[in-house]
Amino acid sequence: MFIANWAISAFRTSLNMAALCDPASTSAETQDMISGTSHSTDPWKTKVTPSDVKKVAEVVSGDWSRLAVNLSPDQFSMDTIKTIRRDHPQDQREQTQAMMEIWINKFETKATQSKLIEALCAMGRRAQACQVFDPDVVELVRPMQE
């Protein structure tokens, strides 16, 4: 945890320097992160929000069962996935949202932004993770590997 706190502190320092160099180019979310008011300040502690769930459902809907397995292979058995598909037969966004709600309800405080980012990146959906979360936060959680 010390490393995570250090990384966040270093990240905020770099954001502060960037904002000082060119405050006009600093996004509102980045400014919130600098001030510590954004919900994405600490992705290791911040729970996934309903807004995050909606965004994920928009960008991942066709691949939601793979995301489920990446989030929690033990939680999402084939029976659970079939039940979600049966309960929401025509809408993959609803299927995604239902899966996310199960994950959030089951894991509560462990259903964090960092876990979701890691799962998205693990399945090759880094670009979608950057659509849901600030790209700088995605990079902080899951640095690009060359």
Side-chain angles (χ1 to χ4, degrees):
M1 194 60 157
F2 171 76
I3 293 173
N5 289 335
W6 173 84
I8 290 170
S9 177
F11 179 63
R12 281 193 183 142
T13 300
S14 70
L15 290 175
N16 281 326
M17 295 304 292
L20 289 172
C21 294
D22 188 8
S25 70
T26 308
S27 72
E29 186 169 354
T30 301
Q31 290 173 1
D32 287 345
M33 290 177 71
I34 292 168
S35 68
T37 58
S38 174
H39 74 280
S40 58
T41 312
D42 186 348
W44 289 273
K45 292 181 181 175
T46 305
K47 292 188 217 177
V48 173
T49 66
S51 173
D52 298 335
V53 170
K54 183 178 178 184
K55 290 177 187 176
V56 168
E58 290 172 6
V59 299
V60 187
S61 61
D63 214 6
W64 70 267
S65 59
R66 202 165 134 222
L67 176 60
V69 172
N70 276 294
L71 286 170
S72 177
D74 297 332
Q75 174 67 28
F76 295 103
S77 65
M78 285 308 295
D79 288 340
T80 304
I81 290 171
K82 286 178 185 178
T83 300
I84 293 170
R85 285 186 176 135
R86 184 191 67 230
D87 291 349
H88 307 279
Q90 301 298 320
D91 194 336
Q92 290 184 339
R93 285 185 185 174
E94 286 182 15
Q95 292 171 357
T96 306
Q97 289 175 330
M99 177 276 296
M100 295 286 298
E101 288 172 15
I102 291 169
W103 178 65
I104 290 167
N105 290 333
K106 173 74 176 176
F107 292 98
E108 296 180 11
T109 59
K110 293 181 182 180
T112 62
Q113 292 177 347
S114 66
K115 293 285 185 194
L116 182 54
I117 291 167
E118 288 171 359
L120 288 165
C121 290
M123 57 188 278
R125 295 294 194 110
R126 178 182 205 81
Q128 287 78 11
C130 290
Q131 288 177 308
V132 176
F133 302 103
D134 184 292
D136 292 331
V137 173
V138 173
E139 181 65 21
L140 182 64
V141 171
R142 187 79 178 222
M144 291 215 39
Q145 297 174 358
E146 297 179 22

